[in-house]
Amino acid sequence: MAELPVPELPPTLSRCSGRFTISTLLGMEEGVRGPYVPAEGAGCDGTHLSGSTLCTRTFGYNTVDVVPAYEHYANSNGVGDGRRGRPSLADLHSILKPDTGHLRPPLSEPQRSNGVPEAGPEEAPEEPGRAPTPEPVRFGWVKGVMIRCMLNIWGVILYLRLPWITAQAGIALTWLIILMSVTVTTITGLSISAISTNGKVKSGGTYFLISRSLGPELGGSIGLIFAFANAVAVAMHTVGFAETVRDLLQEHNSLIVDPTNDIRIIGVVTVTVLLGISLAGMEWEAKAQILFFLVILVSFINYLVGTVIPATAEKQAKGFFSYRAEIFAQNFVPNWRGPEGSFFGLFSIFFPSATGILAGANISGDLKDPAVAIPKGTLMAIFWTTVSYLVLSATIGACVVRDASGSLNDSMAVGSPGCEGLACGFGWNFTACAQRQSCRYGLSNYYQSMSMVSGFGPLITAGIFGATLSSALACLVSAPKVFQCLCKDQLYPLIGFFGKGYGRNSEPIRGYMLTYVIAVGFILIAELNAIAPIISNFFLCSYALINFSCFHASITNSPGWRPSFRYYSKWAALFGAAVSVVIMFLLTWWAALIAFGIVIFLLGYVLYKKPDVNWGSSMQASSYNMALNYSVGLSEVEEHIKNYRPQCLVLTGPPSFRPALVDFVGTFTKNLSLMLCGNVLIGPQKQKMLESRLTADGHIKWLMKRKIKAFYTDVVAEDLRSGVQMLIQAAGLGKMRPNILALGYKRNWRTVSPQSLEDYVGILHDAFDFKYGVCLMRMKEGLNVSRVMQAHVNPTFEAAEHPEGNGTSGRAAPGTADPAALAGEQQASTIFQNEQGKKTIDIYWLFDDGGLTLLIPYLLGRKKRWAKCKIRVFVGGQINRMDEERKAIVSLLSKFRLDFHEVHILPDINQKPRPEHIRRFEDLIAPFRLNDGFKDEATVNEMRQGCPWKISDEEVNKNRAKSLRQVRLNEILLDYSRDAALIAITLPIGRKGRCPSSLYMAWLETLSQDLRPPIILTRGNQENVLTFYCQ
C-alpha cells in the first residue's frame, strides 16, 4: 500500500510520537477557543490536517486515543504505572478539562511506522550547545558471546590438565567426565537462553537473570558468590599461565627464585597487566580476546598436524609414537594415581573448564541484543568446545603412552627380555622409571604433552598463553560487571562504593580493583589443583539456581513468562538443578556445605531487611498460585468447630486513627486468622475515589510498619451504614471471609446527629442479620487519635494523607485540645503494644453466645505481652446454688481445655443498684424520651414520626429490668475489675424494632462508664465456636 505524502511539520509536531496532544491541536486550529481537543471521531481528511504525520499515526482518525507504540511499554515496572505518551483512563472516560499539562507529549525520539524508536527509548534528548555523548561499545553474538565463551571454556585445563586426566581416567571415563559436564552446562545454557529472552536484559549478567527471576533474596546471595567465584577464577587461570612460564624457565635453568615463588611472581605481574587492559576499556579488551582466539585456533591446527607427523627419536623417548591402536586400547581404561586419582576428584578438576558458558551473559549490558546474542552464542560455544575436548582426549590418548623416561638411552631392540610395558613393542624400555614411578614424561607425568606432540612446540605454548590469559581476562571483566549491578541494587550494606561506573560504558573501576586484590590473594596459593575445586562449588551453585529459576518461572504459569527461546524444558531445568546440587556434594561435601551456608546466611539477611524492590519475580507468581490454590481448596472443605478462627472485619477508618483497636485485634489474629481493616469514604464518588487511590498505599505501609498482619480495604458510600453493609457483604474471599465485626464505641453518641446515632446502632443490627459476631471496644481515653495526629505530624504518613475520620466516626473535630488530654490519647494508642505485667484479664460470661466471649481473651492470653496475666471468669448465679454452679462452669471450661486461673460466681447480680446510679441512668435517657404518657401504640408512632430514636414511656417501662441490670453490672465491674488489664463482657442485644437506638446506647454507656481498663463487649452469633469433642 502506497504511503501518503507527508509534508514537513514544525519541530513541536514532529515530536508528537503517536498521539494528538492538546497543545498540538491548539496550535493548529483550536488556539482561540481554549485548550480542548477536537470532537472525538472528527476525520483527518479536512483542511491542513490531511495527510499529516499526526493523522497517519492514528490511521487517519482524530482522537485523544493512541496507537500501540514502543515507548508506552518501556521502563514499565508495576501494574497501573503511568506510561509515557499514553492517555490515562480518565482522559478517555471522564469529561475533558482544560488542563494542558495533564496530557503531555512523550519525551521520546520520533518513531518508525512500526512503533519502534529509531534511537534507544531510554536516551534523553541532547541539550543544545553540549557535545554529543559518545555511543557505548556494543557487541554482537559472535564477538560478544560465542568467542568470549569459547575462550573462557578453553582455559588452562585444556592444555595443562586434559592429557593428564585422560591418562588417569582413560579415554572412556574422560569422555564421560566431559559429557557429564557438558550435560549440566547445556541444560544451564538452555535455561539461560529462556530467561534472557523473557524481557529486556540489562547489565549484571548471571546476577541480573537470577535476581529478576527468583527475586532479590536468592539473586543477591548468588550474585555475591558468583562475583567472588569469577574473581577466584582469575587466579586459577593466571596460575595456569604462570606454571607454563615457570616450566619454560626450568627447561632453560633460568628460575627467578624457586619453582613455587616463581609462579607467584609471574602470576602477580600477569594479573596486573590484565588489569591494565581491562581498565583501558571494553573495546581494547575485545580486541585482545580476538587475538587470543586466533592464537588458540592456530595452536589447535598445529597440534592436530603434529599427531600425524611421524615421531622423532626425541619424541618417542618422551612417549609419543603417533596413532597406535595398542596405545588407544591401553589408554581407553583408567589407571588411577596419586591423591586426585578418583573419578570425582578428576571431575572436580575438569569441571571449571566448562564454567565459561556464562562469560557472554556476564557482560549482558555491553551486548547489542542480549536476547538474541546470549542463547545463540552460548549454545554454539558449548557445541564447538565440546567437540574440541572430545577430539583432543581421543587423539592424545591414541598417540602417547602413560610413562616415558625421556632418555634416548632407553631405546632397545624389539623383543628384548626384561622389558615391561607397551613401549617395549615400539623399541623403548621405560620399565625402570615406571616401576619406581619416577618417569618425567608420558601422559601421566608430563603436563606439557600437547606441546611435545605438536608440529611446532612454541605454538602450543602460545596457545596456552592465549587460553589462560583470555580466560583470566574474561573472568576479570565478568566479576566487576556482576558485582556492579549488585552494588547498584543496594541489597547489602557497605558495598555501594563499588557500584560507581566511569566512562561511556560505565566501567566499574572500583570493582576491577577489588577483583584484582582477591585474585592476587589466591594467586599466592600457587597451586592450581587446590584452587580449582574451590570455585567448582560456587559455579555449580550458580548453575543450580539458574536452572531452578527457569523451572520455577515455568511451573508458576505466570502470564509474564513468555520467553522467545522455545527449546527448553522445565523438567530438564529441574534435573539440571538437582544434578548440580548432587555434583556439589560428590566433589567436596564440606565445600558444598560452606557454599550453602553462605547462600542461606545471605538469603536470611535479605529476608530480614526486606529491600524495597519489586522485579516481578517468579516467587511472587508462586506465592499467588499457592494462595489461589489453597483458597480454592479451602472452599471445598466443610467448616468444623475445631477449625473455627475469629476472622475480623475491623471498622478502623484510616487505620492510623484508631491504633489501639488495630493493635488489639492484630494481637489475637496475628499468625492465626484474617484481619481486614475497613474504611468507609463518605462523599461524592469521584472525589473519594481519588482520595482512595492516593491514601491506600499509605495505610498499608502504616500497617506494615506497625507489624500488623492485616489487609486494608475501603469503599465509597453515601453514608456510613451503607458503606459498612457493602464491606460486610463483599469483604473476603471464599472461606477467608470475616465472621466478626470489630468496631469502636461511639463516645459522642449524645451530641451527634440523630441519624448518625441510628446508623451506628443499625450497623450492629446489620452485623447480626448477616450472622456476624460483634466485638465492640471502649477505652476511657477514646480510640480516635486523629486530634493527636493533627497536633503532631505523623512521620509514617504520606503528604496526601490528612487526618479525616471516615470509619466509625465523622470528621475529626477542629480546634485545639488540652495537651494533657492529647498526651493521654497518645499513651492509650499504644496500650496494646506494651507488656501487661501481672494483672488480670476479667471475663464476664453472662450469657451463652457460643463461646466467643471466652475465646478472644484466651487467644489474647497466649501472646507474649499478655502471658503473665491471670484470666478470671465471672458468671451469674444464685446465692443458694453457688458451689454447684461453680463446679458446673469449671467442668465446662476444663472440657473446653481453656486453662483459666479463677472462676467466680456473681450471686448479687440481680440486686437493685444504688439510687444515685439509677438516677444517673434516668438523667442519661431523659433528653431522648418521648414523654408520651403511656399513650396507645398508634399515637406513639405518630408522635415519633421522623424521630425513631425517641423512647416512649411504655418502652422505658418494658425494658426497666434490663436497664437496671446494666446499672448493676457497672457497679460489679467497678468493684471487681477496677485494676484489670482488660475486661471482656457479653454484649447486650437490643431487639430490632422494639429497642430505640438511644436506649440501647444508654445501656452500653451505663455498662461501661467510669472504667479505667479497656472493655471489650463481645457477642457471638449464637453458634458454637468451642467444642470438647475430638471430631
Side-chain angles (χ1 to χ4, degrees), residues 298-429:
V298 171
S299 70
F300 272 167
I301 296 171
N302 174 52
Y303 161 75
L304 293 175
V305 169
T307 59
V308 298
I309 297 176
T312 62
E314 290 80 4
K315 289 187 176 182
Q316 287 184 355
K318 294 179 180 180
F320 172 61
F321 298 98
S322 295
Y323 290 106
R324 301 291 180 99
E326 299 91 335
I327 298 177
F328 182 85
Q330 186 185 55
N331 289 337
F332 192 78
V333 295
N335 181 18
W336 309 112
R337 300 184 186 182
E340 294 94 2
S342 65
F343 180 83
F344 284 103
L346 296 177
F347 181 86
S348 66
I349 292 173
F350 174 80
F351 186 80
S353 67
T355 57
I357 65 166
L358 300 178
N362 287 338
I363 63 160
S364 54
D366 297 302
L367 301 175
K368 290 178 182 175
D369 189 353
V372 173
I374 292 175
K376 201 171 181 181
T378 302
L379 295 176
M380 288 297 290
I382 292 174
F383 174 76
W384 288 116
T385 51
T386 302
V387 170
S388 66
Y389 280 140
L390 296 175
V391 169
L392 191 148
S393 175
T395 53
I396 203 163
C399 297
V400 185
V401 296
R402 285 192 169 101
D403 294 298
S405 64
S407 173
L408 295 174
N409 296 326
D410 287 337
S411 62
M412 54 166 277
V414 177
S416 299
C419 182
E420 297 178 3
L422 190 62
C424 299
F426 307 136
W428 293 86
N429 184 3

Side-chain angles (χ1 to χ4, degrees), residues 206-252:
T206 305
Y207 160 70
F208 183 88
L209 297 177
I210 295 178
S211 61
R212 270 54 176 180
S213 180
L214 285 180
E217 297 85 6
L218 283 172
S221 57
I222 207 60
L224 272 180
I225 286 180
F226 190 76
F228 179 75
N230 272 282
V232 177
V234 175
M236 184 189 76
H237 296 298
T238 306
V239 167
F241 169 78
E243 275 191 10
T244 308
V245 177
R246 188 272 317 270
D247 291 344
L248 289 174
L249 293 176
Q250 269 187 326
E251 287 183 9
H252 296 86

Side-chain angles (χ1 to χ4, degrees), residues 56-238:
T56 56
R57 285 176 181 162
T58 51
F59 48 85
Y61 187 64
N62 185 8
T63 174
V64 176
D65 221 336
V66 297
V67 296
Y70 175 91
E71 60 267 23
H72 300 161
Y73 297 90
N75 290 331
S76 59
N77 295 321
V79 177
D81 286 355
R83 313 285 188 251
R84 294 183 295 170
R86 180 191 298 161
S88 68
L89 193 59
D91 296 335
L92 301 174
H93 180 252
S94 303
I95 298 174
L96 193 61
K97 294 183 178 180
D99 181 8
T100 57
H102 186 58
L103 288 176
R104 60 189 182 280
L107 301 176
S108 59
E109 294 297 319
Q111 63 183 40
R112 299 190 294 269
S113 59
N114 61 359
V116 180
E118 298 283 355
E122 297 168 6
E123 297 172 13
E126 297 172 3
E127 296 181 9
R130 176 182 290 185
T133 305
E135 286 288 328
V137 179
R138 296 286 186 257
F139 305 113
W141 72 272
V142 175
K143 190 176 179 181
V145 180
M146 189 185 78
I147 291 178
R148 188 176 297 274
C149 288
M150 292 178 72
L151 286 172
N152 210 12
I153 294 171
W154 283 334
V156 62
I157 306 296
L158 172 68
Y159 290 98
L160 300 183
R161 292 296 182 269
L162 190 56
W164 174 75
I165 291 173
T166 304
Q168 290 266 11
I171 296 172
L173 292 184
T174 300
W175 275 41
L176 182 60
I177 289 173
I178 294 170
L179 293 176
M180 281 178 59
S181 302
V182 169
T183 299
V184 176
T185 56
T186 302
I187 293 174
T188 308
L190 296 174
S191 299
I192 290 173
S193 301
I195 296 172
S196 63
T197 57
N198 188 53
K200 187 174 181 180
V201 178
K202 298 182 180 179
S203 61
T206 305
Y207 160 70
F208 183 88
L209 297 177
I210 295 178
S211 61
R212 270 54 176 180
S213 180
L214 285 180
E217 297 85 6
L218 283 172
S221 57
I222 207 60
L224 272 180
I225 286 180
F226 190 76
F228 179 75
N230 272 282
V232 177
V234 175
M236 184 189 76
H237 296 298
T238 306

Side-chain angles (χ1 to χ4, degrees), residues 901-921:
H901 298 82
E902 298 177 14
V903 176
H904 299 273
I905 304 298
L906 300 173
D908 53 352
I909 197 170
N910 290 319
Q911 288 183 3
K912 189 174 181 180
R914 299 184 192 128
E916 62 270 21
H917 292 159
I918 297 175
R919 283 196 301 273
R920 185 169 64 174
F921 174 77

Side-chain angles (χ1 to χ4, degrees), residues 870-936:
K870 293 171 60 177
I871 301 180
R872 303 189 299 178
V873 179
F874 297 85
V875 294
Q878 299 178 17
I879 194 166
N880 57 345
R881 298 183 64 248
M882 284 182 60
D883 290 340
E884 293 86 347
E885 290 180 349
R886 186 179 183 281
K887 289 178 181 178
I889 292 296
V890 169
S891 175
L892 180 60
L893 295 179
S894 65
K895 285 184 171 62
F896 285 148
R897 303 172 305 282
L898 299 174
D899 189 20
F900 294 154
H901 298 82
E902 298 177 14
V903 176
H904 299 273
I905 304 298
L906 300 173
D908 53 352
I909 197 170
N910 290 319
Q911 288 183 3
K912 189 174 181 180
R914 299 184 192 128
E916 62 270 21
H917 292 159
I918 297 175
R919 283 196 301 273
R920 185 169 64 174
F921 174 77
E922 291 173 347
D923 293 341
L924 185 64
I925 64 173
F928 302 96
R929 294 191 63 168
L930 200 58
N931 297 318
D932 56 290
F934 294 97
K935 293 185 172 59
D936 60 86

